[in-house]
Amino acid sequence: MKLRKVTAAAAAALVLSLTATACGGDDNDSDSADTGSGGGDKIKVGIKYDQPGLGLKEPDGSFSGFDVDVATYVAGELGYEPDQIEFIETKSADRENALARGDVDFIAATYSITDERKEKVDFAGPYLLAHQDLLVKSDSDITEATDLNGKKLCSVTGSTSAQNVKNDFAPKAQLKQVSTYSECVAALQSGAVDALTTDDSILAGFAAQEQYKGQFKLAGLKLSNENYGIGVKKGDTETVNKINDALEKMVSEKAWEKAVTDNFGPADYKNEPAPKIGNIVQ
């Protein structure tokens, strides 16, 4: 809580007012969240803005996706109504810094839990186990990563996914790197490339979009394990514990399964069961 400077004459009144407002915070002085106690004016949540099915900013300014649904549920358990949530775009390269600076209170943005990241932030979860996979046209005969030899494989610049496929499975694959996954999907649709690779959850999100229904399929490969967690500022154990409780409740109330079906169902996404809190699949 932030307190104003007061005169001596107002000191007694201030002491009395502190008793009444200690939990809720001072509405005039701060609109940032107190995730330890909940119920503040706003809670700031980092998400992706450009991943259909996971975190997407719609043309009307609203937000949709599995990560958005999870974040909304968690914020509710922390004491915030949907209109008290401020979704902030948090790009992959800036996630740790955003938490350290206090730009966001937590991050739900396809944020894989790794040992390297755990040195900088704390994680609740995991709340989804994803895998690296391939997205191909619905009539494609590509069923294994080795089938990509001599084929054109798309991914985004800076991603290691496509290079991993070339190094480990298909050394003769022709890599095409572009700025966004949307460009890869467009290239796949036009036939300019034969496959797109990244996390299966991201691929399913694109395939589930209305304009792509029936055009694509996931190969169903499990080329890696990606344990999605909710990032919290390093050392904030109280918030981590509260988010973990919220995630467990979301699963037990079947809200987690509903969010999976709503966001990935049209792509026939073969999702893993909800992971156990703290169970990191290597």
Side-chain angles (χ1 to χ4, degrees), residues 76-98:
E77 291 300 302
L78 294 176
Y80 298 90
E81 298 295 329
D83 62 0
Q84 292 178 292
I85 304 171
E86 182 180 353
F87 288 115
I88 296 175
E89 184 176 23
T90 311
K91 297 183 182 297
S92 296
D94 195 45
R95 287 179 295 204
E96 289 83 20
N97 290 333

Side-chain angles (χ1 to χ4, degrees), residues 26 104 107 168 191 199 210-211:
D26 186 286
V104 294
I107 293 175
D168 299 336
D199 296 356
E210 186 67 33
Q211 66 268 35

Side-chain angles (χ1 to χ4, degrees), residues 238-257:
E238 181 180 3
T239 298
V240 169
N241 291 337
K242 289 192 173 188
I243 293 177
N244 280 335
D245 289 343
L247 293 173
E248 289 182 336
K249 185 176 179 181
M250 187 178 186
V251 172
S252 67
E253 290 185 344
K254 309 299 184 183
W256 183 91
E257 191 65 39

Side-chain angles (χ1 to χ4, degrees), residues 2-280:
K2 298 179 182 178
L3 301 180
R4 299 187 184 91
K5 293 182 179 180
V6 297
T7 63
L14 177 61
V15 170
L16 290 175
S17 68
L18 288 176
T19 303
T21 63
C23 293
D26 186 286
D27 290 343
N28 294 324
D29 282 336
S30 175
D31 59 4
S32 62
D34 176 3
T35 52
S37 59
D41 290 337
K42 292 283 186 181
I43 187 166
K44 297 179 179 180
V45 180
I47 62 168
K48 296 290 181 66
Y49 274 18
D50 58 353
Q51 290 183 344
L54 286 153
L56 182 68
K57 186 174 183 178
E58 302 284 1
D60 64 359
S62 63
F63 299 93
S64 66
F66 180 73
D67 283 347
V68 173
D69 289 348
V70 170
T72 300
Y73 187 97
V74 167
E77 291 300 302
L78 294 176
Y80 298 90
E81 298 295 329
D83 62 0
Q84 292 178 292
I85 304 171
E86 182 180 353
F87 288 115
I88 296 175
E89 184 176 23
T90 311
K91 297 183 182 297
S92 296
D94 195 45
R95 287 179 295 204
E96 289 83 20
N97 290 333
L99 287 168
R101 292 191 303 259
D103 295 346
V104 294
D105 297 296
F106 67 82
I107 293 175
T110 60
Y111 203 0
S112 296
I113 301 171
T114 67
D115 290 339
E116 181 181 3
R117 288 171 178 164
K118 286 193 291 185
E119 294 178 1
K120 300 176 182 178
V121 304
D122 285 339
F123 284 99
Y127 64 91
L128 184 72
L129 176 59
H131 307 283
Q132 184 183 344
D133 200 355
L134 303 176
L135 187 70
V136 296
K137 282 191 172 182
S138 56
D139 61 354
S140 173
D141 58 0
I142 295 174
T143 59
E144 301 291 342
T146 53
D147 294 337
L148 290 168
N149 279 306
K151 304 287 188 179
K152 296 177 182 178
L153 177 63
C154 191
S155 193
V156 298
T157 302
S159 169
T160 60
S161 298
Q163 192 61 53
N164 289 343
V165 170
K166 186 174 176 66
N167 291 344
D168 299 336
F169 303 101
K172 295 182 180 179
Q174 302 171 42
L175 300 188
K176 178 180 177 63
Q177 293 184 313
V178 296
S179 299
T180 67
Y181 289 117
S182 296
E183 293 177 67
C184 274
V185 173
L188 181 60
Q189 185 181 39
S190 70
V193 299
D194 301 293
L196 158 61
T197 187
T198 187
D199 296 356
D200 54 6
S201 58
I202 297 173
L203 298 176
F206 277 102
Q209 296 303 289
E210 186 67 33
Q211 66 268 35
Y212 299 131
K213 284 183 180 178
Q215 297 186 43
F216 306 128
K217 65 182 180 181
L218 277 74
L221 309 180
K222 297 182 178 180
L223 304 179
S224 71
N225 295 319
E226 306 297 335
N227 300 270
Y228 290 175
I230 293 182
V232 176
K233 188 174 183 178
K234 188 69 176 176
D236 190 356
T237 304
E238 181 180 3
T239 298
V240 169
N241 291 337
K242 289 192 173 188
I243 293 177
N244 280 335
D245 289 343
L247 293 173
E248 289 182 336
K249 185 176 179 181
M250 187 178 186
V251 172
S252 67
E253 290 185 344
K254 309 299 184 183
W256 183 91
E257 191 65 39
K258 182 179 185 303
V260 170
T261 301
D262 289 348
N263 292 290
F264 303 128
D268 195 25
Y269 176 46
K270 303 297 190 297
N271 65 283
E272 299 277 4
K276 299 291 184 183
I277 297 300
N279 182 25
I280 308 299

